[in-house]
Amino acid sequence: MIRVEVLLSRIFENARQIAAQTGVALWPVIKADAYGLGTREIARALANVADGFCVFALNEAIAADIWNQTGKPSLALGPAEPRRLQEYLIHHVRPSVIDVPTATALREAHPALCLDTGMQRFTCSPSEAPAVIEAGNIAEVFTHATRMEHVNALQQWAAAQGRKLMLHAAATAMLGEPRAWLDAVRPGLGLYTGAVRITAPLIETHTSQGPVGYTGFTTVRHGVIPVGYTDGLRRGQCRINRQPRRILEVGMQTAFVEISEHDQMGDLVTLLDDHLTPAEIAKSWGSSPQEVLLSLTRTAQKTYLK
Ligand SMILES: *Cc1c(COP(=O)(O)O)cnc(C)c1O
């Protein structure tokens, strides 16, 4: 009974603005089922603004049929699978490679190289990179950048190579930094700003008497929503009838929320929207906005609004 509404026109508009602002190629990141929102639906919504899509694994691009749905290629950011050349070719997915044998095996699929500038995971060291470039006939090099020093390291390394390379580094966190845009940007989280609303109805309302629930919390009035751990919910903020309220206790499939005397059965409890953003919720969870979005959308039935 958790309700996740996804405003596709807002996601398109976010992408269009990023493309217009940066003026470079746009490769939206739709890994992890587009952060729980549905790879195929998000890819289709962005088909006319994206130059291509980033996924983590080949299988994600195949499952969502990105090439046939959008006519745009994909780049798989995670570890390459050297025995699946034909599938990379058929589905128009380019692998990311980090070693000579894999680059050689997948040369025909136009691999990109992921250069280590600090991430130290699924990356190729700058010293080994020239041999991998040679083996895979590579024309595109990217890195994971969270700070300008990562971008600078990529550019300095590229400048010392004897060939022209397409470079990219920026995810959402670096979009405010023009020097990080290079030849393409790879936003994930930033595509979904203002585009997701998650709600659930109050299915019980009570005047509290003494300790309540498993944990024995005390409050004046409490309500119950049919959303729990199974939906990825944790304790923290919510809003009811525009007022900020607390999620007081979470169980497997239900949660207790604080309510006022004006809140009625059937009223909607907002768990995430424009005013209660993944970034704010992440603070009370001690987590990242990406985890919040994925956690609350992953298992839910989604409603797509144009
Ligand atoms: C996930 C990912 C991104 C997108 O990150 P956001 O912070 O969600 O924008 C970009 N690049 C790489 C390599 C990634 O793994």
Side-chain angles (χ1 to χ4, degrees):
M1 286 239 270
I2 187 167
R3 184 173 162 86
V4 176
E5 292 164 306
V6 185
L7 190 55
L8 294 174
S9 56
R10 180 70 191 262
I11 296 173
F12 178 85
E13 188 54 25
N14 289 340
R16 201 196 54 75
Q17 277 180 18
I18 293 167
Q21 185 200 6
T22 61
V24 300
L26 178 72
W27 284 75
V29 179
I30 52 173
K31 66 190 178 193
D33 201 27
Y35 297 32
L37 298 175
T39 308
R40 185 179 296 211
E41 286 79 2
I42 304 303
R44 286 167 57 121
L46 295 179
N48 291 331
V49 68
D51 292 280
F53 293 97
C54 294
V55 292
F56 181 76
L58 173 61
N59 280 350
E60 294 176 328
I62 296 175
D65 198 18
I66 293 176
W67 171 253
N68 287 311
Q69 294 292 326
T70 69
K72 299 291 165 77
S74 297
L75 172 64
L77 301 167
E81 300 171 76
R83 285 194 289 273
R84 299 180 70 184
L85 172 64
Q86 287 312 317
E87 290 169 277
Y88 283 108
L89 293 172
I90 290 166
H91 296 280
H92 295 254
V93 179
R94 285 182 299 115
S96 306
V97 297
I98 59 174
D99 60 64
V100 168
T102 309
T104 307
L106 297 176
R107 184 180 170 108
E108 222 189 307
H110 301 291
L113 181 135
C114 184
L115 188 76
D116 193 58
T117 56
M119 175 64 73
Q120 304 172 57
R121 182 204 67 196
F122 310 143
T123 51
C124 181
S125 70
S127 61
E128 287 166 42
V132 181
I133 299 260
E134 198 56 46
N137 190 28
I138 286 169
E140 176 176 340
V141 178
F142 71 98
T143 195
H144 299 79
T146 53
R147 296 190 296 279
M148 217 32 228
E149 65 192 78
H150 300 137
V151 180
N152 293 338
L154 174 67
Q155 283 191 290
Q156 278 158 21
W157 175 88
Q161 307 307 308
R163 61 168 89 194
K164 171 100 186 73
L165 295 163
M166 180 197 167
L167 302 178
H168 50 98
T172 301
M174 298 293 288
L175 289 177
E177 176 49 79
R179 288 173 303 155
W181 298 341
L182 308 179
D183 300 314
V185 290
R186 305 186 309 260
L189 184 71
L191 299 168
Y192 310 119
T193 305
V196 183
R197 190 167 95 109
I198 305 179
T199 56
L202 281 174
I203 55 169
E204 286 191 9
T205 58
H206 297 270
T207 301
S208 315
Q209 319 226 311
V212 183
Y214 294 105
T215 53
F217 64 83
T218 53
T219 186
V220 180
R221 288 178 62 78
H222 66 268
V224 177
I225 54 173
V227 181
Y229 294 135
T230 187
D231 307 288
L233 190 66
R234 298 195 210 167
R235 271 194 309 161
Q237 308 108 287
C238 63
R239 280 185 309 115
I240 308 176
N241 295 320
R242 299 203 180 79
Q243 299 303 310
R245 304 280 177 222
R246 306 281 308 162
I247 300 163
L248 297 166
E249 182 185 296
V250 181
M252 291 298 278
Q253 286 157 297
T254 63
F256 289 99
V257 295
E258 155 193 71
I259 61 172
S260 80
E261 58 194 341
H262 306 296
D263 302 326
Q264 311 279 325
M265 288 258 290
D267 286 356
L268 287 184
V269 177
T270 301
L271 302 172
L272 186 153
D273 72 355
D274 269 11
H275 306 284
L276 181 56
T277 63
E280 282 170 61
I281 298 168
K283 279 184 223 154
S284 54
W285 287 18
S287 169
S288 68
Q290 284 90 341
E291 188 192 353
V292 169
L293 190 57
L294 181 64
S295 182
L296 290 174
T297 56
R298 208 162 57 92
T299 59
Q301 188 77 20
K302 266 81 68 180
T303 304
Y304 296 96
L305 310 172
K306 290 272 148 34

